[in-house]
Every structure is written in structure tokens, then in C-alpha cells.
């Protein structure tokens, strides 16, 4: 099934319909998506990392989950398939896909599906409308949602993320100097490095293509990413898609912050769900690099993250083991994510048989 999930698009498969071993599975997916080829002309891929994604779904053996979801990022012009990260956008389609394939029975007018994200072991709960026992993708006039970067409106998929098991601050500090640049390394579902745009000689309001075409910026970002990856416990990230890098600038349209996010080389035309979750949590960390540019809401957990094509609203709340203690002063004072929730949409585009390019 080809589905749009949030601001991404990908192929959703039942795990039993793919080879169980990673090597033959990945070789098949490269042929299905048309990689390696910059246009992906001979497959399902859309010639961009945001449209070259795969979700593999199965019934979960974990009593805390209904289904397991493995996200695979398929390279566009390189023969690579990576399972090193989650994808919060394709996550929006996992619950509806599970109901469509009979893995989960619909639960009345609305259905909740507990999802274990195999890439990290984290859990999420997706709730979406199922009137009459069928998934409603379009949404009623009274109950629909619009998200930036997607035309029109659709039925809302509310995704809540229970607190993760790993540290919110992987380096144990609210601020690090990486490759000579102040950064905040945060992981609220997606390993992300927050950087004030001005510290790299850009405004943070440039178009993605302009930033991608800047070789000096690319070299700086690569240096930061490689060094930050080691500090965050990710090892050598030369050939991986994490951590992401998010440049921060003051908001321009009433939000909390403006972002330009690299995934990791291409500049995202919007922002991923889990990337936004990490940005939002990072902005709330006392002493982090976002403090100088962010305009945090005075009340409530909801925060608007601006990006090149609009915004994403996300709810985050942090807690400190030692109330009122500043971040980074001993382990007991480090913040933890207490709650993260976001509204996305998803749509089934087609359901059928794909014919892979011959091996």
C-alpha cells in the first residue's frame, strides 16, 4: 500500500510479505523503490528522501503494543537502506494500515493502535476515526485537520508518545561546543543537534535549495554532525541518517522558532514529527542554545514550530528530577520528557501489487 503519512510518502508492507533476513529484504526494496537512481524512474520512489521511505508492519509480540513498525529509509541515488532512525511521519499511517490489513480490529467510531517502533523500541499510540468499522481518511467537516506542506484537509491522526527510556540530553549537558560551535544535543524520539543559524553565518530563513547549494555550510554541518554523533553515543555517523541538524532562528509568523532541518544532507522542506518533538523539547531546556532565539508560549504545552513551508504544532512537557534545578548540574538535575503529542494526517493513495525491477 502506498500512503502519505504526514509530510512524507512511503510504501507500507506486511512483514510476512518481505524476506525475513535484512540483506535480501533490502535488496528487494531497492529494486521496488527504483534505487540507486536520482530520479528513481524505475520504481515507486519520488526522487527525494521524503518520498523514498518504507514501513514494515506486523502483529507485535510485546503485550504493551498491538503492532510492530520498522521504518526503513531507502537511499535515492545510493544503494543504501537504513534502519538507524524512526520516522514520525510514516508513523501516522501505521495505525490505519494495521486496521486495513486486519492486524487490529476497529474500535468503534475511533480506534487507538499501540505501536512499537522497532528502530528504537519506543512506543506510540495513534488514534484515528473508524466510523462504521472502516478507516476514514477524509474527515468530516466538523472533524478535519490541515498540516503545512500537504494540500487540503484530512482526518486527524492524534499520536501520543509515552516518555522514552533513553536520556533527553545524550551528552548529559544542556550545551556543548562541537567543532567550535555552541549546540544542544537532544533526543526526544529523534537524535537532533540544535544550532543557532546565525552561528553558522546564515539567517535561518533561506530557502532549502539555497542552503543545500552552500558548500561552506555543508562542510561546517558535516564536521558538526560527525563530532556530535560521537558525543551522543551514536558512534561513527558518516554513513547514517542521524543525528539530524536543525538550525534555529527567531520565529517569523507567531510561532516559537523558525527551523531549517538537514536530514542529514538535504534540507527538509518542512520538518519531521520526531525531529519537531526533539526541537520542542530542546527549546524548553534551561541553558540550551534555543534560549536566545525562541519565543516560548506563556501557558500550556503546545508549541508551534515554523519551517520552510509552514508550521507544525506539537505539545511537549519536561520535568526535572530535582524541581527548579538548572539543567546540566548533576544527573539528578537533567530534564526528562514527560509528554509529547502531535496531530498528523494520513491518506491511502493506492493498494495493489508492485512489480520490482528484475535483479
Amino acid at each position: 500500500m502506498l500512503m502519505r503519512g504526514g509530510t512524507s510518502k512511503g510504501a507500507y508492507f506486511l512483514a510476512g510479505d518481505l524476506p525475513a533476513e535484512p540483506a535480501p529484504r533490502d535488496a528487494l526494496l531497492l529494486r521496488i523503490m527504483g534505487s540507486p537512481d536520482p530520479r528513481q524512474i524505475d520504481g515507486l520512489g519520488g526522487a527525494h528522501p521524503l518520498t523514498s521511505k518504507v514501513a514494515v508492519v506486523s502483529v507485535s509480540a510485546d503485550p504493551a503494543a498491538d503492532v510492530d513498525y520498522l521504518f526503513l529509509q531507502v537511499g535515492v541515488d545510493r544503494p543504501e537502506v537504513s534502519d538507524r532512525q524512526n520516522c514520525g511521519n510514516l508513523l501516522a499511517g501505521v495505525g490505519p494500515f494495521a486496521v486495513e490489513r486486519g492486524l487490529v480490529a476497529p474500535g468503534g467510531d475511533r480506534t487507538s493502535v499501540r505501536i512499537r517502533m522497532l528502530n528504537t523500541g519506543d512506543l506510540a499510540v495513534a488514534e484515528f476515526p473508524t466510523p462504521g468499522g472502516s478507516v476514514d481518511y477524509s474527515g468530516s467537516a466538523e472533524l478535519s485537520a490541515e498540516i503545512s506542506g500537504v494540500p487540503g484537509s484530512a482526518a486527524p491522526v492524534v499520536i501520543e508518545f509515552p516518555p522514552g527510556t533513553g536520556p533527553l540530553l545524550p551528552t548529559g549537558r544542556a550545551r556543548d561546543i562541537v567543532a567550535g560551535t555552541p549546540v544542544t544535543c537532544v533526543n526526544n524520539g529523534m537524535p537532533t543537534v540544535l544550532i543557532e543559524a546565525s552561528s553558522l553565518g546564515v539567517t535561518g530563513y533561506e530557502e532549502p535549495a539555497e542552503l543545500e547549494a552552500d558548500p561552506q555550510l555543508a562542510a561546517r554541518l558535516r564536521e558538526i554532525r560527525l563530532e556530535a554523533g560521537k558525543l551522543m553515543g551514536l558512534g561513527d555517523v558518516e554513513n547514517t541518517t542521524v543525528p539530524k541538524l536543525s538550525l534555529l532562528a527567531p520565529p517569523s509568523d507567531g510561532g516559537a522558532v523558525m527551523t531549517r532541518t538537514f536530514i542529514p544532507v538535504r534540507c527538509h522542506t518542512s520538518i519531521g514529527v520526531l525531529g519537531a518533538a526533539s526541537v520542542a523539547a530542546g527549546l524548553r531546556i534551561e541553558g540550551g542554545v534555543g534560549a536566545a532565539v525562541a519565543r516560548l508560549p506563556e501557558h500550556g504545552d503546545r508549541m508551534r514550530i515554523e519551517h520552510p513551508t509552514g508550521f507544525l504544532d506539537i505539545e511537549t512537557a519536561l520535568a526535572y528530577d530535582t524541581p527548579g534545578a538548572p539543567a546540566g548540574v548533576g544527573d539528578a538535575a537533567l530534564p526528562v520528557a514527560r509528554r509529547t503529542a502531535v496531530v498528523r494526517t494520513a491518506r491511502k493513495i493506492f493498494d495493489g501489487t508492485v512489480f520490482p525491477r528484475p535483479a
Side-chain angles (χ1 to χ4, degrees):
M1 185 180 291
L2 191 71
M3 300 184 74
R4 176 187 61 76
T7 55
S8 294
K9 183 167 59 177
Y12 290 67
F13 294 91
L14 291 174
D17 290 337
L18 294 173
E21 293 299 317
R25 178 201 67 198
D26 294 351
L28 175 61
L29 291 176
L30 286 168
R31 290 158 45 214
I32 286 174
M33 300 304 285
S35 300
D37 172 27
R39 295 185 299 161
Q40 292 182 315
I41 196 66
D42 207 24
L44 296 180
H48 192 281
L50 297 181
T51 55
S52 186
K53 298 183 173 188
V54 167
V56 183
V57 184
S58 60
V59 173
S60 181
D62 187 337
D66 299 308
V67 297
D68 287 342
Y69 156 49
L70 176 67
F71 169 68
L72 298 171
Q73 179 69 60
V74 180
V76 176
D77 54 358
R78 295 195 291 181
E80 296 176 351
V81 179
S82 173
D83 64 358
R84 290 288 299 273
Q85 68 174 78
N86 282 327
C87 177
N89 274 309
L90 285 202
L91 176 63
V94 171
F97 176 78
V99 170
E100 293 260 17
R101 286 291 187 262
L103 304 184
V104 175
D109 288 341
R110 296 191 64 79
T111 297
S112 291
V113 177
R114 302 172 302 162
I115 302 165
R116 179 172 63 163
M117 297 177 281
L118 293 181
N119 304 75
T120 60
D122 294 328
L123 298 174
V125 179
E127 184 183 81
F128 48 93
T130 50
S134 298
V135 179
D136 175 19
Y137 294 101
S138 60
S140 64
E142 297 79 17
L143 185 62
S144 63
E146 295 183 11
I147 59 175
S148 296
V150 177
S153 62
V157 179
V158 179
I159 305 173
E160 184 138 5
F161 301 95
T165 56
L168 182 64
L169 292 173
T171 71
R173 295 174 293 275
R175 183 184 292 249
D176 291 280
I177 303 298
V178 175
T181 305
V183 305
T184 293
C185 298
V186 61
N187 186 358
N188 190 26
M190 177 68 69
T192 304
V193 182
L194 307 186
I195 312 165
E196 190 173 349
S198 61
S199 70
L200 296 177
V202 297
T203 66
Y205 305 106
E206 294 88 350
E207 290 298 317
E210 182 182 350
L211 293 174
E212 288 179 358
D214 184 340
Q216 184 176 355
L217 177 64
R220 288 284 303 278
L221 292 175
R222 179 179 181 275
E223 186 180 8
I224 291 170
R225 203 174 80 84
L226 292 178
E227 188 174 324
K230 293 178 181 178
L231 281 179
M232 299 173 77
L234 300 172
D236 182 0
V237 298
E238 174 72 41
N239 297 312
T240 71
T241 57
V242 291
K244 311 299 187 189
L245 307 175
S246 194
L247 309 189
L248 308 180
S252 64
D253 194 24
V257 72
M258 175 63 79
T259 60
R260 294 293 186 270
T261 300
F262 287 80
I263 54 171
V265 178
R266 300 292 300 272
C267 184
H268 206 314
T269 53
S270 55
I271 190 170
V273 171
L274 296 173
S278 288
V279 170
L283 295 182
R284 295 189 184 276
I285 293 172
E286 301 168 18
V289 299
V293 297
R295 305 290 185 267
L296 298 183
E298 294 183 6
H299 306 287
D301 296 340
R302 181 166 297 183
M303 183 185 299
R304 176 159 290 183
I305 306 296
E306 298 179 4
H307 56 70
T309 53
F311 61 86
L312 185 152
D313 287 336
I314 192 160
E315 297 182 3
T316 59
L318 305 186
Y320 286 86
D321 290 340
T322 303
V329 183
D331 292 341
L334 293 178
V336 295
R338 182 168 55 83
R339 179 178 180 271
T340 303
V342 66
V343 175
R344 304 309 277 160
T345 65
R347 192 175 77 82
K348 177 171 63 174
I349 297 174
F350 75 73
D351 188 3
T353 302
V354 62
F355 297 90
R357 182 182 69 235

